[in-house]
Amino acid sequence: MSIETGPAPTEPQQAQADAQLSLSTTAARNLATTTKSEPQMQGISSRWLLRALPWVQVSGGTYRVNRRLSYAVGRGRVSFVKTGSEVRVVPPSLREVPVLRGLADDALLAELAGRFTQREVAAGEVLVEAGQPIDEIHLIAHGKINKVGLGKYGEAAVLGQLADGDHLGDEAVRQSDALWEYSVKATTAATVLTLPWSAFRQLAERSAELRELIDQHLADAGQAQNQHGEAQIELAAGHEGELELPGTFVDYELAPREYELSVAQTVLRVHSRVADLFNDPMNQIEQQLKLTIEALRERQEFEVVNNPEFGLLANADYEQRIQTHSGPPTPDDLDELLSMRRETSHIFAHPRAIAAFGRECSKRGIYFGSVDVGGHHIPAWRGVPIFPCGKIPVLGGHTSSIIAMRAGDSNQGVVGLHQIGIPDEYEPGLNVRFMGINEKAVISYLVSAYYSAAILVPDALGVLENVEVARPRD
């Protein structure tokens, strides 16, 4: 059985059959107003640090932190330069050793740096033994080292950890026959620079300035002071009868630290034709300004964390810095970090560091909870919220830091500094100033944010350093 079919359609007939029967969407859009979003910006973060800091009004542009007189000179960290396998100490950084603090003779520092010898230490090797005479200064260029002593019942105990830039042995300047109170053992392969005390004494005999610094260092060490190094306040307690009470006064630092407000600025430029003709339905200048301010606030938080003058990482006291016990952040590490201050109110960590801490908790079968902060569920440890902060750097892709702090001026904590009421203020501490229109019809606005941060007392801020965030291989 066959089916009869008509002749095939001609090309004009096929074209007519394929012809458009209704208005296309492409053409229709010319008569329609599209629904559009406001400009989006991927670089906007939660900025928990800026939200957490209590902001103090700094009317004069400078904030002075007055403290009690302290005889304890902070132990800074020395720096090194590496050329191939050779490691040398940077001479000016030797001023971070307490006895050399304030030494102005650069030539003497350079000669002193040249007398250090390099030593490679294997993991597990004992660098010094407890009870032996202190006859060398040791600078740790790279690696992690434990201070090992004896516990109450004679068991070995880790008294502290040292890492890149730390130093030990300089306490022998206080007495000629000083002995090591602990052993020093490398937990990783390490590079150490050593200087015999005899070489140091030779330089001290030649330099009157160095001898004067040593005398001042010994004088400060002999002053009555409390456990924090502050000048002692003489008191009487628990007495009976008519005991003659001691007289005292509270001495202050003669040169307290001052923080000047820093600034982040940019010039926003918008062509007048854009502002005149394309301002509906969204104001172009307003949208440009909104995203510019977001970028400035992101930079402000970065500076509060990383600025060398007032940033939290750079200005944390060296006595408030600790090392991880094993590399990744463990519950033990965070417990030690919390124990270093009263009322820790905030912990800040890179998201990768928070994930690494979660992995360590999972290994131990520990679940760390959360707290409610303004309607947000924030992970917490021991009731202290752990806020994500992407401004904390991840060095080399595998190590970061965790910050713990107490906030507020009434709590002797960490505060943010700004000034409100500035001319042309747009937001607190941020102003937008019209700069005019140039010959090319470009409108310019100067956008400025003024800010800083201050650590009121050293124990307000602590840092867990060398936190391994890389995921281990299974």
Side-chain angles (χ1 to χ4, degrees):
M1 174 177 166
S2 63
I3 298 177
E4 293 277 342
T5 59
T10 62
E11 290 186 6
Q13 290 173 330
Q14 184 65 43
Q16 185 177 4
D18 295 338
Q20 183 175 322
L21 301 179
S22 64
L23 182 66
S24 69
T25 56
T26 303
R29 286 185 60 197
N30 294 327
L31 300 182
T33 300
T34 60
T35 301
K36 56 187 74 66
S37 73
E38 292 185 349
Q40 306 298 304
M41 179 176 173
Q42 187 175 350
I44 298 176
S45 67
S46 56
R47 297 199 292 270
W48 281 110
L49 178 57
L50 296 188
R51 291 198 239 175
L53 285 177
W55 291 89
V56 175
Q57 165 72 352
V58 182
S59 301
T62 301
Y63 185 78
R64 178 181 297 149
V65 178
N66 289 309
R67 293 177 179 173
R68 283 176 57 184
L69 178 64
S70 175
Y71 296 114
V73 179
R75 299 177 63 84
R77 288 183 175 169
V78 297
S79 301
F80 303 89
V81 60
K82 190 172 187 293
T83 305
S85 60
E86 181 185 3
V87 178
R88 290 175 287 112
V89 61
V90 178
S93 71
L94 286 173
R95 294 187 177 98
E96 298 298 332
V97 179
V99 70
L100 298 176
R101 183 68 56 90
L103 183 61
D105 191 342
D106 290 333
L108 187 64
L109 286 174
E111 184 176 353
L112 186 63
R115 297 194 177 194
F116 280 88
T117 58
Q118 182 176 338
R119 176 180 174 184
E120 300 297 331
V121 182
E125 183 177 344
V126 176
L127 193 61
V128 297
E129 291 278 3
Q132 297 297 315
I134 302 178
D135 54 8
E136 289 180 324
I137 303 174
H138 300 279
L139 309 179
I140 303 171
H142 181 68
K144 190 180 293 186
I145 288 178
N146 282 345
K147 292 163 42 175
V148 182
L150 294 180
K152 180 178 179 179
Y153 300 104
E155 77 282 7
V158 176
L159 305 179
Q161 291 182 317
L162 305 172
D164 305 4
D166 285 325
H167 39 87
L168 64 161
D170 55 279
E171 56 266 36
V173 72
R174 299 180 183 179
Q175 57 186 93
S176 58
D177 56 349
L179 302 178
W180 288 104
E181 297 179 355
Y182 47 81
S183 298
V184 178
K185 183 178 180 180
T187 57
T188 67
T191 301
V192 178
L193 301 185
T194 61
L195 174 72
W197 265 109
S198 57
F200 180 83
R201 294 191 185 96
Q202 289 175 5
L203 292 179
E205 292 173 359
R206 289 169 33 199
S207 172
E209 181 186 3
L210 181 54
R211 291 196 301 273
E212 184 178 343
L213 281 176
I214 294 174
D215 292 341
Q216 183 62 48
H217 181 76
L218 295 175
D220 288 346
Q223 296 287 344
Q225 51 189 275
N226 62 17
Q227 61 180 346
H228 303 291
E230 297 171 329
Q232 187 71 42
I233 297 177
E234 297 296 337
L235 303 170
H239 54 278
E240 297 180 0
E242 299 179 353
L243 178 71
E244 182 177 352
L245 299 180
T248 190
F249 67 97
V250 181
D251 208 352
Y252 303 133
E253 287 185 350
L254 297 179
R257 179 169 180 180
E258 294 184 345
Y259 294 83
E260 292 187 1
L261 292 184
S262 184
V263 62
Q265 292 179 306
T266 188
V267 176
L268 173 63
R269 296 186 177 95
V270 181
H271 199 284
S272 60
R273 182 168 54 188
V274 172
D276 292 342
L277 303 180
F278 300 95
N279 253 12
D280 186 48
M282 298 179 193
N283 186 300
Q284 294 284 357
I285 294 179
E286 181 181 324
Q287 295 300 323
Q288 289 279 304
L289 188 58
K290 182 184 75 171
L291 297 184
T292 300
I293 291 174
E294 291 287 354
L296 280 176
R297 292 304 191 193
E298 292 290 329
R299 181 65 187 213
Q300 177 179 345
E301 186 174 61
F302 177 87
E303 293 290 312
V304 169
V305 174
N306 297 288
N307 188 284
E309 297 298 324
F310 59 85
L312 302 185
L313 286 179
N315 288 270
D317 190 88
Y318 284 104
E319 298 294 333
Q320 296 295 321
R321 299 171 186 257
I322 59 174
Q323 307 295 320
T324 57
H325 287 82
S326 58
T330 65
D332 297 335
D333 293 325
L334 259 64
D335 282 343
E336 186 174 354
L337 188 62
L338 292 177
S339 70
M340 298 171 66
R341 71 200 47 76
R342 57 178 173 85
E343 297 182 42
T344 300
S345 57
H346 302 81
I347 297 175
F348 295 95
H350 192 279
R352 291 182 62 188
I354 298 176
F357 179 63
R359 289 194 296 268
E360 293 302 309
C361 288
S362 297
K363 288 180 183 178
R364 293 161 172 77
I366 299 173
Y367 175 76
F368 64 99
S370 64
V371 294
D372 184 272
V373 180
H376 298 271
H377 290 285
I378 303 298
W381 181 250
R382 307 298 189 194
V384 182
I386 306 175
F387 294 97
C389 181
K391 310 304 188 302
I392 298 176
V394 177
L395 304 176
H398 54 80
T399 58
S400 185
S401 299
I402 295 178
I403 297 173
M405 75 179 190
R406 180 177 64 248
D409 55 348
S410 61
N411 227 8
Q412 295 185 326
V414 180
V415 296
L417 309 176
H418 68 175
Q419 183 179 145
I420 57 176
I422 57 179
D424 300 313
E425 189 171 57
Y426 191 86
E427 291 182 357
L430 183 147
N431 64 357
V432 180
R433 313 197 76 171
F434 177 67
M435 297 176 63
I437 305 175
N438 67 11
E439 294 82 358
K440 297 183 180 180
V442 176
I443 309 171
S444 297
Y445 296 89
L446 176 63
V447 188
S448 307
Y450 298 95
Y451 55 86
S452 188
I455 304 168
L456 300 188
V457 294
D459 76 342
L461 182 76
V463 180
L464 177 64
E465 298 184 313
N466 292 321
V467 174
E468 289 283 350
V469 300
R471 188 180 182 92
R473 294 183 61 185
D474 296 333

